Amino acid sequence: MLALGLVLNTLGIGLFCWLIFALAVYALPFFVALSVGMSAFRDGAGVFGALLIGIVSGALTLAAGQLALAVSRSLTLRVAIATVFALPAAIAGYHLVFALSQIGAPSLAWREAFACAGAACIAGTAWARLTLPARTRPSESAGVVENAHRPVLTAATHER
């Protein structure tokens, strides 16, 4: 029974860490959605209205960031946009790793070290997911493929 508990705890922590790295890009839209939703609720929009306004603002933040990254040709602007998205991921990663490190590290210095390393890893993951473009050919979407690979002539075609 103890072995089963250790295996399930390991799988649970692994799944939780995978989830954090997969959702690191969405830290800024979530922060914006939460802030705008709470502000709308405080101003009298009600629960449903605040929820709707928060979801829309978070979705618009994500869409605007992705659109700005896709349209911009300037490397400096792309790095600045990715950094704006990576900073909230770093803050969330720091607090998450600091909380998880309390399970196994009794020293405050080690918890801080683990938290800083985790923040750097999670921010790096969010930054890399935003800045690394998909590998596509430049004019493939227009239906024209430049420098297309030509099939190698086989022995049968040479004999004709």
Side-chain angles (χ1 to χ4, degrees), residues 37-150:
M38 288 176 61
S39 177
F41 182 73
R42 186 190 65 220
D43 291 340
V47 175
F48 182 71
L51 185 64
L52 184 66
I53 290 171
I55 290 172
V56 168
S57 65
L60 286 175
T61 302
L62 181 63
Q66 288 178 344
L67 181 69
L69 277 172
V71 171
S72 69
R73 301 249 185 237
S74 170
L75 180 64
T76 307
L77 183 61
R78 292 176 60 88
V79 167
I81 294 168
T83 303
V84 167
F85 271 79
L87 284 177
I91 294 168
Y94 173 84
H95 289 292
L96 175 80
V97 175
F98 187 78
L100 285 178
S101 66
Q102 290 178 350
I103 296 171
S107 170
L108 182 62
W110 280 109
R111 284 188 289 194
E112 286 288 335
F114 287 139
C116 290
C121 290
I122 291 173
T125 299
W127 194 80
R129 284 183 179 221
L130 283 167
T131 58
L132 293 179
R135 294 190 164 250
T136 58
R137 292 186 208 155
S139 57
E140 188 175 26
S141 61
V144 178
V145 178
E146 296 175 7
N147 299 328
H149 296 289
R150 297 189 179 171

Side-chain angles (χ1 to χ4, degrees), residues 9-26 96-97 100 118 121-122 125-126 129:
N9 280 334
T10 304
L11 289 175
I13 290 174
L15 178 68
F16 189 63
C17 289
W18 170 80
L19 189 63
I20 289 302
F21 281 105
L23 297 177
V25 175
Y26 305 110
L96 175 80
V97 175
L100 285 178
C121 290
I122 291 173
T125 299
R129 284 183 179 221

